Amino acid sequence: MRKKRLVEGTDKSFVLVVLAALIFGFSFTNTEPEGLFVTPSLYRTGALESNHALPFILFYNKWSCIRLVLVRRGVFSERGIIVSKVINLGNVTVYVEDSYEALGARAADIFAEALAAAPTGVFGFATGGTPLSMYGELIRRYKAGALDFSGITTFNLDEYYPILKSNDQSYDYFMRENLFNHINVPTDRINLPNGEAPDPEIESRRYEAAVRASAGLELQLLGIGENGHIAFNEPADAYTNATNYTSLTESTVQANARFFASADEVPKHALTMGIKTIMLAKKILLVANGAKKAEIMRDALLGDITPRVPASALQLHRDVEIVLDAEAASAL
Ligand code: PGA
């Protein structure tokens, strides 16, 4: 009898827990132990052995729960199409915008807020096709007198190696062309890994030391590769700790070939901040657009935390804002 009551009691409390989970959705950002945010994937990796949020996780079916919360909040329509703007996954906020231009404006809003809070802060920039609408918007707002970059220091994520700064495919060139030449950031406070350095290993150490000696990144902007890379941290067996000299995977070479005359011309090596360098930023802002990024956004945000999907590390960061268009968000 006693045993049966116990079982019944347990069932009742589990039912209550499930109801609470459904009512409060993702608000179980338990901060024990060691201040880590608890995510479903973190549990499944076994990284935490005990936590008061465990009952939530036991009953937590990622897919159905996310869908339920999103429908309840009006983010998904009944047909599962995204009709609204903000998905709150606890430490990660996902904004879904209906156009590439709107994505750029939202990302610029987030950047502008961080800049207003730290006008002499250190900001991390990124290259690639995705940030261009955001950069266009930052330039427009600067020209309209709404933004002032005169106090900031910048660090870019990565650079091909070897490459001349004058090469129009270098990230140095890209940043000058698409942002730095059009705003008032002082040129002596712009930092990129040097693709002209004689020794890539020494250059990696120099760059890491420079990032670490700075006041710390207020915000790091990221794109994401179709293979889940952030910066040039490609899928691997382990996360990288510091800026390093690395080889590009074939899929990255193919993805970047669109900027070159042919895939043969894409450099096969690069200098890149490490995952840890990136994770030390106070805030992460990731942008992605297009259907090609849909599956990897799902894997990065909702899948296991694994260096095979480098961006999945962001699930463990305390403050991540992600701006997607509806296509890139379509698998969430
Ligand atoms: P993309 O690149 O913005 O050109 O898609 C992103 C990346 O590879 O990080």
Side-chain angles (χ1 to χ4, degrees), residues 100 126-132 157-158 171 174 222-232 234 252 255-256 258-259 287-289 292-293:
Y100 178 57
T127 51
T130 320
L132 286 174
L157 285 171
D158 47 13
Y171 288 171
F174 176 101
L222 299 175
I224 183 170
E226 287 167 47
N227 64 2
H229 75 205
I230 46 178
F232 275 129
E234 302 283 27
T252 297
N256 288 7
R258 68 193 194 276
F259 300 116
V287 287
N289 72 316
K292 280 190 300 191
K293 301 284 172 72

Side-chain angles (χ1 to χ4, degrees), residues 144-164:
L147 294 179
D148 176 12
F149 298 88
S150 65
I152 70 167
T153 298
T154 76
F155 282 92
N156 258 77
L157 285 171
D158 47 13
E159 176 62 284
Y160 290 123
Y161 187 90
I163 198 159
L164 293 173

Side-chain angles (χ1 to χ4, degrees), residues 259-285:
F259 300 116
F260 292 79
S262 76
D264 290 342
E265 289 182 29
V266 182
K268 305 296 181 288
H269 295 90
L271 303 163
T272 179
M273 277 188 195
I275 294 288
K276 185 169 176 186
T277 328
I278 294 166
M279 291 290 280
L280 288 174
K282 290 177 206 157
K283 181 191 268 296
I284 300 285
L285 167 58

